[in-house]
Every structure is written in structure tokens, then in C-alpha cells.
Coordinates of all heavy atoms in Angstrom, one line a residue:
A1 N -25.8 16.5 11.1 CA -24.7 16.2 12.0 C -24.7 17.3 13.0 O -25.2 18.4 12.9 CB -23.4 16.2 11.3
S2 N -24.1 16.9 14.2 CA -23.9 18.0 15.2 C -22.5 17.8 15.7 O -22.0 16.7 15.7 CB -24.9 17.9 16.3 OG -24.8 16.6 16.9
G3 N -21.9 18.8 16.2 CA -20.6 18.7 16.7 C -19.5 18.9 15.7 O -18.8 19.9 15.7
Y4 N -19.4 17.9 14.8 CA -18.4 18.1 13.7 C -18.8 17.0 12.5 O -19.6 16.1 12.9 CB -17.0 17.8 14.1 CG -16.7 16.4 14.6 CD1 -16.2 15.4 13.8 CD2 -16.8 16.1 16.0 CE1 -15.9 14.1 14.3 CE2 -16.6 14.8 16.5 CZ -16.1 13.9 15.7 OH -15.9 12.7 16.1
V5 N -18.3 17.2 11.4 CA -18.5 16.3 10.3 C -17.1 15.4 10.1 O -16.1 16.0 10.1 CB -18.7 17.0 9.0 CG1 -18.8 16.0 7.9 CG2 -20.1 17.8 9.1
Y6 N -17.4 14.2 10.2 CA -16.2 13.2 10.0 C -16.2 12.9 8.5 O -17.0 12.0 8.1 CB -16.4 12.0 10.8 CG -15.3 10.9 11.0 CD1 -14.1 11.2 10.3 CD2 -15.4 9.9 11.6 CE1 -13.0 10.2 10.3 CE2 -14.5 8.8 11.7 CZ -13.3 9.0 11.0 OH -12.3 8.1 11.1
Y7 N -15.2 13.4 7.8 CA -15.1 13.0 6.4 C -14.2 11.8 6.2 O -13.0 11.8 6.6 CB -14.5 14.2 5.6 CG -14.3 13.9 4.1 CD1 -15.3 13.6 3.3 CD2 -13.0 13.8 3.6 CE1 -15.0 13.2 2.0 CE2 -12.7 13.4 2.4 CZ -13.8 13.1 1.6 OH -13.5 12.8 0.2
I8 N -14.7 10.8 5.6 CA -14.0 9.5 5.3 C -13.3 9.8 4.0 O -13.9 9.9 2.9 CB -15.0 8.3 5.3 CG1 -15.5 8.2 6.6 CG2 -14.2 7.2 4.8 CD1 -16.7 7.1 6.6
S9 N -11.9 9.8 4.1 CA -11.1 10.2 2.9 C -10.9 9.3 1.8 O -10.3 9.6 0.8 CB -9.8 10.8 3.5 OG -9.1 9.8 4.1
L10 N -11.3 8.0 2.0 CA -11.1 7.0 1.0 C -12.1 6.0 1.2 O -12.6 5.7 2.2 CB -9.7 6.5 0.9 CG -9.1 5.7 2.1 CD1 -9.5 4.3 2.2 CD2 -7.6 5.9 2.2
K11 N -12.4 5.4 0.0 CA -13.3 4.1 0.1 C -12.5 2.9 0.4 O -11.4 2.7 0.0 CB -14.0 4.0 -1.3 CG -14.8 5.0 -1.7 CD -15.4 4.8 -3.1 CE -16.2 6.0 -3.6 NZ -16.6 6.0 -5.0
G12 N -13.1 2.0 1.3 CA -12.4 0.8 1.5 C -12.2 0.7 3.1 O -12.9 1.3 3.9
I13 N -11.3 -0.1 3.4 CA -11.1 -0.4 4.8 C -10.1 0.6 5.4 O -9.1 1.1 4.8 CB -10.3 -1.8 4.9 CG1 -11.2 -3.0 4.3 CG2 -9.9 -2.1 6.4 CD1 -10.5 -4.2 4.2
T14 N -10.5 1.0 6.6 CA -9.7 2.1 7.2 C -8.2 1.6 7.4 O -8.0 0.5 7.7 CB -10.3 2.4 8.7 OG1 -9.5 3.4 9.3 CG2 -10.4 1.2 9.6
G15 N -7.3 2.5 7.2 CA -5.9 2.2 7.3 C -5.3 1.7 6.0 O -4.1 1.5 6.0
A16 N -6.1 1.4 5.1 CA -5.6 0.8 3.8 C -5.5 1.9 2.8 O -6.1 3.0 2.8 CB -6.6 -0.3 3.4
N17 N -4.7 1.6 1.7 CA -4.5 2.4 0.5 C -4.0 3.8 0.9 O -3.6 4.0 2.0 CB -6.0 2.5 -0.2 CG -6.5 1.2 -0.6 OD1 -5.8 0.4 -1.1 ND2 -7.8 1.1 -0.3
S18 N -4.0 4.6 -0.1 CA -3.6 5.9 0.0 C -4.6 7.0 -0.3 O -5.3 6.7 -1.2 CB -2.3 6.2 -0.9 OG -1.2 5.4 -0.5
I19 N -4.7 8.1 0.3 CA -5.6 9.1 0.0 C -5.2 10.0 -1.1 O -4.0 10.2 -1.4 CB -6.0 10.0 1.2 CG1 -4.8 10.6 1.7 CG2 -6.6 9.0 2.3 CD1 -5.1 11.7 2.8
N20 N -6.1 10.5 -2.0 CA -5.9 11.4 -3.0 C -6.1 12.8 -2.5 O -7.2 13.2 -2.2 CB -6.8 11.1 -4.2 CG -6.7 12.0 -5.3 OD1 -6.4 13.3 -5.1 ND2 -6.9 11.5 -6.5
V21 N -5.1 13.5 -2.2 CA -5.1 14.8 -1.5 C -6.0 15.8 -2.3 O -6.8 16.6 -1.6 CB -3.7 15.4 -1.2 CG1 -3.8 16.7 -0.6 CG2 -2.9 14.4 -0.3
D22 N -5.9 15.8 -3.6 CA -6.7 16.8 -4.4 C -8.1 16.5 -4.3 O -9.0 17.4 -4.1 CB -6.2 16.8 -5.9 CG -4.9 17.4 -6.1 OD1 -4.5 18.3 -5.3 OD2 -4.2 16.9 -7.0
E23 N -8.5 15.2 -4.3 CA -9.9 14.8 -4.1 C -10.4 15.2 -2.7 O -11.6 15.7 -2.6 CB -10.1 13.3 -4.4 CG -11.5 12.8 -4.4 CD -11.6 11.3 -4.6 OE1 -10.9 10.9 -5.5 OE2 -12.4 10.6 -3.9
V24 N -9.6 14.9 -1.7 CA -10.1 15.3 -0.3 C -10.2 16.7 -0.2 O -11.2 17.2 0.3 CB -8.9 14.8 0.7 CG1 -9.2 15.3 2.1 CG2 -8.9 13.3 0.7
K25 N -9.3 17.5 -0.8 CA -9.4 19.0 -0.8 C -10.8 19.4 -1.4 O -11.5 20.2 -0.8 CB -8.3 19.6 -1.5 CG -8.3 21.1 -1.5 CD -7.1 21.7 -2.2 CE -7.2 23.2 -2.2 NZ -6.0 23.9 -2.9
N26 N -11.1 18.9 -2.6 CA -12.3 19.3 -3.2 C -13.6 18.9 -2.4 O -14.4 19.7 -2.4 CB -12.4 18.7 -4.6 CG -11.4 19.2 -5.6 OD1 -11.0 20.4 -5.4 ND2 -10.9 18.5 -6.6
K27 N -13.5 17.7 -1.8 CA -14.7 17.3 -1.0 C -14.8 18.1 0.2 O -15.9 18.4 0.6 CB -14.6 15.8 -0.7 CG -14.5 14.8 -1.8 CD -15.8 14.7 -2.5 CE -15.7 13.8 -3.7 NZ -16.9 13.3 -4.2
V28 N -13.7 18.4 0.9 CA -13.8 19.2 2.1 C -14.3 20.6 1.8 O -15.1 21.2 2.5 CB -12.4 19.3 2.8 CG1 -12.5 20.3 4.0 CG2 -12.1 17.9 3.4
L29 N -13.9 21.2 0.7 CA -14.3 22.5 0.3 C -15.9 22.4 0.0 O -16.6 23.4 0.4 CB -13.7 23.0 -1.0 CG -12.2 23.4 -0.8 CD1 -11.5 23.7 -2.2 CD2 -12.2 24.6 0.1
K30 N -16.3 21.4 -0.5 CA -17.8 21.2 -0.8 C -18.6 21.1 0.6 O -19.6 21.7 0.7 CB -18.1 20.0 -1.6 CG -19.5 19.7 -2.0 CD -20.1 20.7 -2.9 CE -21.5 20.4 -3.3 NZ -22.2 21.5 -3.9
L31 N -17.9 20.3 1.5 CA -18.6 20.2 2.8 C -18.6 21.5 3.4 O -19.7 21.9 4.1 CB -17.8 19.2 3.6 CG -18.0 17.8 3.5 CD1 -16.9 16.9 4.2 CD2 -19.4 17.3 3.7
R32 N -17.7 22.4 3.3 CA -17.7 23.7 3.9 C -18.8 24.6 3.4 O -19.3 25.6 4.0 CB -16.3 24.3 3.8 CG -15.3 23.6 4.7 CD -14.1 24.4 5.0 NE -13.0 23.8 5.6 CZ -12.9 23.5 6.9 NH1 -13.9 23.8 7.7 NH2 -11.9 22.9 7.4
E33 N -19.1 24.4 2.1 CA -20.2 25.1 1.5 C -21.5 24.7 2.1 O -22.5 25.4 2.1 CB -20.3 24.8 0.0 CG -19.1 25.4 -0.8 CD -19.2 25.0 -2.3 OE1 -20.1 24.4 -2.7 OE2 -18.2 25.4 -3.0
L34 N -21.6 23.4 2.6 CA -22.9 22.9 3.1 C -23.1 23.0 4.6 O -24.3 22.9 5.1 CB -23.0 21.4 2.7 CG -22.9 21.1 1.3 CD1 -22.8 19.6 1.0 CD2 -24.1 21.6 0.5
T35 N -22.0 23.3 5.3 CA -22.1 23.3 6.8 C -21.1 24.2 7.4 O -20.0 24.4 6.8 CB -22.0 21.9 7.4 OG1 -22.2 22.0 8.8 CG2 -20.7 21.2 7.1
E36 N -21.4 24.7 8.6 CA -20.5 25.5 9.3 C -19.7 24.7 10.4 O -18.9 25.2 11.1 CB -21.1 26.8 9.9 CG -21.7 27.7 8.9 CD -22.3 29.0 9.5 OE1 -22.1 29.3 10.7 OE2 -23.0 29.8 8.7
L37 N -20.2 23.5 10.4 CA -19.5 22.6 11.5 C -18.0 22.3 11.2 O -17.7 22.3 9.9 CB -20.3 21.3 11.5 CG -21.7 21.2 12.1 CD1 -22.3 19.9 11.9 CD2 -21.7 21.6 13.5
P38 N -17.2 22.1 12.2 CA -15.8 21.8 11.9 C -15.8 20.4 11.0 O -16.7 19.6 11.3 CB -15.3 21.5 13.3 CG -16.2 22.2 14.2 CD -17.5 22.2 13.6
V39 N -14.8 20.3 10.2 CA -14.7 19.1 9.5 C -13.3 18.4 9.8 O -12.3 19.0 9.9 CB -14.6 19.4 7.9 CG1 -14.4 18.2 7.2 CG2 -15.9 20.1 7.5
V40 N -13.4 17.0 10.1 CA -12.2 16.3 10.5 C -12.2 15.1 9.4 O -13.1 14.8 8.9 CB -12.3 15.7 11.9 CG1 -12.2 16.8 12.9 CG2 -13.4 14.8 12.1
I41 N -10.9 14.9 9.1 CA -10.7 13.9 8.1 C -10.1 12.6 8.8 O -9.2 12.7 9.6 CB -9.6 14.4 7.0 CG1 -10.0 15.7 6.4 CG2 -9.2 13.3 6.0 CD1 -9.0 16.4 5.6
G42 N -10.7 11.5 8.4 CA -10.2 10.2 8.9 C -10.1 9.2 7.7 O -10.6 9.4 6.6
F43 N -9.5 8.1 7.9 CA -9.3 7.0 7.0 C -8.1 7.3 6.2 O -8.1 8.4 5.5 CB -10.5 6.6 6.2 CG -11.6 5.8 6.8 CD1 -12.1 6.2 8.0 CD2 -12.0 4.6 6.3 CE1 -13.1 5.5 8.6 CE2 -13.0 3.9 6.8 CZ -13.6 4.3 8.0
G44 N -7.1 6.5 6.1 CA -6.0 6.6 5.2 C -4.8 7.5 5.9 O -3.9 7.6 5.2
I45 N -5.1 8.0 7.0 CA -4.0 8.9 7.6 C -3.2 7.9 8.6 O -3.8 7.5 9.7 CB -4.6 10.0 8.4 CG1 -5.4 10.9 7.4 CG2 -3.5 10.8 9.1 CD1 -6.2 12.0 8.1
K46 N -2.0 7.5 8.1 CA -1.3 6.5 8.9 C 0.1 6.8 9.3 O 0.8 6.1 9.9 CB -1.3 5.2 8.0 CG -0.9 5.3 6.6 CD -1.2 4.0 5.9 CE -1.1 4.3 4.4 NZ -1.7 3.3 3.6
D47 N 0.6 8.0 8.8 CA 2.0 8.5 9.2 C 2.0 10.0 9.1 O 1.1 10.6 8.7 CB 3.0 7.8 8.3 CG 2.7 8.0 6.8 OD1 2.2 9.0 6.4 OD2 3.1 7.1 6.0
G48 N 3.2 10.4 9.4 CA 3.5 11.8 9.4 C 3.2 12.5 8.0 O 2.7 13.6 7.8
S49 N 3.7 11.8 7.0 CA 3.5 12.3 5.7 C 2.2 12.4 5.3 O 1.8 13.5 4.7 CB 4.3 11.3 4.6 OG 4.1 11.7 3.4
T50 N 1.3 11.5 5.5 CA -0.1 11.5 5.2 C -0.8 12.6 5.9 O -1.6 13.4 5.4 CB -0.8 10.2 5.4 OG1 0.0 9.2 4.9 CG2 -2.2 10.2 4.8
A51 N -0.5 12.7 7.3 CA -1.1 13.7 8.2 C -0.7 15.1 7.7 O -1.6 16.0 7.6 CB -0.6 13.5 9.6
S52 N 0.6 15.4 7.3 CA 1.0 16.6 6.8 C 0.3 17.0 5.5 O 0.0 18.2 5.3 CB 2.5 16.6 6.6 OG 3.0 17.8 6.1
S53 N 0.0 16.0 4.7 CA -0.6 16.3 3.4 C -2.0 16.8 3.5 O -2.5 17.5 2.6 CB -0.6 15.1 2.5 OG -1.5 14.1 2.9
V54 N -2.6 16.5 4.6 CA -4.2 17.0 4.8 C -4.4 17.9 6.0 O -5.5 18.4 6.1 CB -5.1 15.8 4.9 CG1 -5.0 14.9 3.6 CG2 -4.7 14.9 6.1
K55 N -3.4 18.2 6.8 CA -3.6 18.9 8.0 C -4.2 20.3 7.8 O -4.9 20.8 8.6 CB -2.3 19.0 8.8 CG -1.2 20.0 8.2 CD 0.0 20.0 9.1 CE 0.9 21.1 8.6 NZ 2.0 21.2 9.5
D56 N -3.9 20.9 6.7 CA -4.4 22.3 6.4 C -5.7 22.3 5.7 O -6.3 23.4 5.5 CB -3.3 23.2 5.7 CG -2.0 23.3 6.4 OD1 -2.2 23.5 7.7 OD2 -1.1 23.4 5.9
L57 N -6.2 21.1 5.4 CA -7.5 21.1 4.6 C -8.7 21.1 5.6 O -9.8 21.3 5.1 CB -7.5 19.8 3.8 CG -6.4 19.7 2.7 CD1 -6.6 18.4 2.0 CD2 -6.4 20.9 1.8
A58 N -8.5 20.7 6.8 CA -9.6 20.4 7.7 C -9.4 21.0 9.1 O -8.3 21.5 9.4 CB -10.0 19.1 7.9
D59 N -10.3 20.9 10.0 CA -10.2 21.3 11.3 C -9.5 20.4 12.2 O -9.1 20.7 13.4 CB -11.5 21.7 11.9 CG -12.2 22.9 11.1 OD1 -11.7 23.9 11.0 OD2 -13.2 22.5 10.4
G60 N -9.4 19.1 11.8 CA -8.7 18.1 12.6 C -8.6 16.8 11.7 O -9.1 16.7 10.6
I61 N -7.7 15.9 12.2 CA -7.6 14.6 11.6 C -7.7 13.5 12.6 O -7.6 13.7 13.7 CB -6.2 14.6 10.8 CG1 -5.1 14.6 11.9 CG2 -6.0 15.5 9.7 CD1 -3.7 14.2 11.3
V62 N -8.1 12.3 12.1 CA -8.3 11.1 12.9 C -7.3 10.0 12.4 O -7.2 9.7 11.2 CB -9.6 10.6 12.8 CG1 -9.8 9.4 13.7 CG2 -10.7 11.7 13.3
V63 N -6.4 9.6 13.4 CA -5.5 8.5 13.1 C -6.0 7.3 14.0 O -6.1 7.5 15.2 CB -4.0 8.9 13.5 CG1 -3.2 7.7 13.3 CG2 -3.6 10.1 12.7
G64 N -6.4 6.2 13.4 CA -6.8 5.2 14.2 C -6.2 3.8 13.9 O -5.4 3.3 14.8
S65 N -6.4 3.3 12.7 CA -6.0 1.9 12.5 C -4.5 1.7 12.7 O -4.1 0.6 13.2 CB -6.3 1.5 11.0 OG -7.8 1.5 10.8
T66 N -3.7 2.6 12.4 CA -2.2 2.4 12.4 C -1.8 2.3 14.0 O -1.0 1.4 14.3 CB -1.4 3.5 11.7 OG1 -0.1 3.1 11.6 CG2 -1.5 4.8 12.4
L67 N -2.5 3.0 14.8 CA -2.2 2.9 16.2 C -2.8 1.6 16.8 O -2.1 0.9 17.7 CB -2.8 4.1 17.0 CG -2.3 5.4 16.6 CD1 -3.1 6.5 17.3 CD2 -0.8 5.5 16.8
V68 N -4.0 1.2 16.3 CA -4.5 -0.1 16.7 C -3.6 -1.2 16.3 O -3.4 -2.2 17.0 CB -6.0 -0.3 16.2 CG1 -6.5 -1.7 16.4 CG2 -6.9 0.8 16.8
D69 N -3.1 -1.2 15.1 CA -2.2 -2.2 14.6 C -1.0 -2.4 15.5 O -0.5 -3.4 15.8 CB -1.8 -1.9 13.1 CG -2.8 -2.1 12.1 OD1 -3.9 -2.7 12.5 OD2 -2.7 -1.6 11.0
I70 N -0.4 -1.2 15.9 CA 0.7 -1.2 16.8 C 0.4 -1.9 18.1 O 1.1 -2.8 18.6 CB 1.3 0.2 17.0 CG1 1.9 0.7 15.7 CG2 2.3 0.2 18.2 CD1 2.4 2.2 15.7
M71 N -0.8 -1.5 18.7 CA -1.2 -2.0 19.9 C -1.5 -3.5 19.9 O -1.4 -4.2 20.9 CB -2.4 -1.3 20.4 CG -2.0 0.2 20.9 SD -3.4 1.0 21.7 CE -4.1 1.6 20.2
G72 N -1.8 -4.1 18.7 CA -2.1 -5.4 18.6 C -0.8 -6.4 18.2 O -0.8 -7.5 18.1
G73 N 0.3 -5.6 18.2 CA 1.6 -6.2 17.9 C 2.3 -6.8 19.0 O 1.7 -7.0 20.1
N74 N 3.6 -7.0 18.9 CA 4.5 -7.5 20.0 C 4.4 -6.7 21.2 O 4.7 -5.6 21.3 CB 5.9 -7.5 19.4 CG 6.9 -8.0 20.4 OD1 6.7 -8.1 21.6 ND2 8.1 -8.4 19.8
K75 N 3.9 -7.3 22.3 CA 3.6 -6.6 23.5 C 4.9 -5.9 24.1 O 4.7 -4.9 24.7 CB 3.0 -7.6 24.5 CG 1.6 -8.1 24.1 CD 0.9 -8.8 25.2 CE -0.4 -9.5 24.9 NZ -1.3 -8.8 24.0
E76 N 6.1 -6.5 23.9 CA 7.2 -5.9 24.5 C 7.7 -4.7 23.7 O 8.4 -3.9 24.2 CB 8.5 -6.9 24.5 CG 8.3 -8.1 25.5 CD 7.3 -9.2 24.9 OE1 7.3 -9.5 23.8 OE2 6.6 -9.8 25.8
E77 N 7.2 -4.5 22.5 CA 7.6 -3.4 21.6 C 6.5 -2.3 21.5 O 6.7 -1.3 20.8 CB 7.8 -3.9 20.2 CG 8.9 -5.0 20.3 CD 10.3 -4.4 20.2 OE1 10.6 -3.3 19.6 OE2 11.2 -5.0 20.9
I78 N 5.3 -2.5 22.1 CA 4.2 -1.5 21.8 C 4.6 -0.2 22.3 O 4.4 0.9 21.4 CB 2.9 -2.0 22.7 CG1 2.3 -3.2 22.0 CG2 1.9 -0.9 22.8 CD1 1.2 -3.8 22.8
E79 N 5.1 0.1 23.4 CA 5.5 1.4 23.9 C 6.5 2.1 22.9 O 6.3 3.3 22.6 CB 6.0 1.4 25.3 CG 6.2 2.7 25.9 CD 6.7 2.8 27.4 OE1 6.5 1.7 28.0 OE2 7.2 3.7 27.7
K80 N 7.5 1.3 22.6 CA 8.5 1.9 21.7 C 7.8 2.3 20.3 O 8.1 3.4 19.8 CB 9.6 0.9 21.5 CG 10.7 1.2 20.4 CD 11.6 0.1 20.2 CE 12.2 0.1 18.8 NZ 12.9 -1.1 18.5
H81 N 7.1 1.4 19.7 CA 6.4 1.7 18.5 C 5.5 2.8 18.5 O 5.3 3.6 17.5 CB 6.0 0.4 17.8 CG 6.9 -0.5 17.5 ND1 7.8 -0.4 16.4 CD2 7.4 -1.8 17.9 CE1 8.7 -1.4 16.2 NE2 8.3 -2.2 17.1
L82 N 4.6 2.9 19.5 CA 3.7 3.9 19.7 C 4.4 5.3 19.8 O 4.0 6.2 19.2 CB 2.8 3.7 20.9 CG 1.6 2.8 20.7 CD1 0.8 2.5 22.1 CD2 0.6 3.3 19.7
S83 N 5.4 5.3 20.6 CA 6.2 6.5 20.7 C 6.8 7.0 19.4 O 6.7 8.2 19.0 CB 7.4 6.2 21.8 OG 8.2 7.4 21.9
I84 N 7.3 6.1 18.7 CA 7.8 6.5 17.3 C 6.8 7.0 16.4 O 6.9 8.1 15.8 CB 8.6 5.3 16.6 CG1 9.8 4.9 17.4 CG2 8.9 5.5 15.2 CD1 10.4 3.5 17.0
K85 N 5.6 6.3 16.4 CA 4.5 6.8 15.6 C 3.9 8.0 16.0 O 3.7 9.0 15.1 CB 3.5 5.7 15.5 CG 2.2 6.1 14.7 CD 2.6 6.1 13.2 CE 2.9 4.7 12.6 NZ 3.2 4.8 11.2
I86 N 3.7 8.2 17.2 CA 3.2 9.6 17.8 C 4.1 10.7 17.6 O 3.7 11.8 17.2 CB 2.7 9.3 19.3 CG1 1.5 8.4 19.2 CG2 2.4 10.7 19.9 CD1 1.2 7.9 20.7
N87 N 5.4 10.4 17.7 CA 6.4 11.5 17.5 C 6.4 11.9 16.0 O 6.4 13.1 15.7 CB 7.8 11.1 17.9 CG 7.9 11.1 19.4 OD1 7.3 11.9 20.1 ND2 8.9 10.2 19.9
D88 N 6.3 10.9 15.2 CA 6.3 11.2 13.7 C 5.0 12.0 13.3 O 5.1 13.0 12.6 CB 6.2 9.8 12.9 CG 6.1 10.0 11.4 OD1 6.8 10.9 10.8 OD2 5.3 9.3 10.8
L89 N 3.8 11.6 13.9 CA 2.6 12.4 13.6 C 2.8 13.8 14.3 O 2.4 14.8 13.7 CB 1.5 11.7 14.2 CG 1.0 10.4 13.5 CD1 0.1 9.5 14.4 CD2 0.4 10.7 12.1
S90 N 3.3 13.9 15.5 CA 3.4 15.2 16.1 C 4.3 16.2 15.4 O 4.0 17.4 15.1 CB 3.9 15.0 17.5 OG 4.1 16.3 18.2
R91 N 5.4 15.7 14.8 CA 6.3 16.5 14.1 C 5.7 17.0 12.8 O 5.8 18.1 12.4 CB 7.6 15.8 13.7 CG 8.6 15.7 14.8 CD 10.0 15.2 14.3 NE 9.9 13.8 13.7 CZ 9.9 12.7 14.3 NH1 10.0 12.6 15.7 NH2 9.8 11.6 13.7
A92 N 4.9 16.2 12.2 CA 4.2 16.5 11.0 C 3.0 17.5 11.2 O 2.8 18.3 10.2 CB 3.5 15.3 10.3
L93 N 2.5 17.6 12.4 CA 1.3 18.5 12.6 C 1.8 19.8 13.2 O 1.0 20.7 13.4 CB 0.3 17.8 13.5 CG -0.4 16.5 12.9 CD1 -1.2 15.8 13.8 CD2 -1.1 16.9 11.6
N94 N 3.0 19.9 13.7 CA 3.5 21.1 14.3 C 4.4 21.9 13.4 O 4.8 21.6 12.4 CB 4.3 20.8 15.6 CG 3.3 20.3 16.7 OD1 2.3 20.9 16.9 ND2 3.6 19.2 17.3

């Protein structure tokens, strides 16, 4: 890899299920033994609670499916729902 390592935190479809924080921690620690590249965590991070649970384990997190789901929803409500979700994630990460 170059740039960074994207660690997929769960098996299955992105945005589904819940991540096992202890397992993610162990895997990220193993990755850090193998590379000096930054590690970002993706898959399974869908709200502030999930983001908060892994934010200190890696150099970054990726939130994707939950935002895509909002954008595919009710067009009149997209801005409102995106704002709520992004505020939730922002509070969790700060």
C-alpha cells in the first residue's frame, strides 16, 4: 500500500452490522507492527457512537454508506438529515 492503509472493520456489506471494537483494536495494532503508513478504519461506522468507539484506534475513519443512504432518501429532507448526521459525527470526533 501507499498513502494509507484502509482497514475494513467488519465482514459483510458496508454500513451493515456492528463492529467489534476489541477486535478492531487488535487488528489495527497488528497493522501498526507491519507498516508505518497511517491506518484508517471504514465499514460499520454509521453514527457518532460508532465513530467515538474507534476514533482513538486509528489515524482516521471513513463514513460512507450511512451518508449515501441519506442522499438516496426523501429529496426534501436530505439537507436536514445530512446536517443531523454530520453534527452527530462531528460531536463524537471532537
Side-chain angles (χ1 to χ4, degrees):
S2 64
Y4 64 93
V5 174
Y6 183 7
Y7 173 67
I8 298 173
S9 63
L10 59 85
K11 295 177 185 173
I13 300 168
T14 181
N17 302 316
S18 298
I19 61 175
N20 178 324
V21 176
D22 290 330
E23 183 178 318
V24 170
K25 180 179 179 179
N26 290 334
K27 299 288 182 164
V28 170
L29 289 172
K30 181 67 175 170
L31 284 170
R32 293 204 186 280
E33 292 174 7
L34 300 171
T35 184
E36 293 182 16
L37 291 172
V39 177
V40 298
I41 300 171
F43 280 56
I45 302 170
K46 50 191 164 192
D47 54 30
S49 175
T50 313
S52 180
S53 72
V54 297
K55 73 177 185 177
D56 295 328
L57 303 179
D59 301 295
I61 62 169
V62 177
V63 178
S65 294
T66 193
L67 300 175
V68 171
D69 289 345
I70 291 170
M71 289 184 273
N74 182 340
K75 293 188 187 320
E76 291 81 35
E77 301 279 323
I78 290 173
E79 186 175 342
K80 173 184 157 191
H81 290 292
L82 279 176
S83 178
I84 291 168
K85 181 63 69 176
I86 291 168
N87 285 331
D88 177 44
L89 290 164
S90 180
R91 280 191 303 274
L93 297 174
N94 291 311

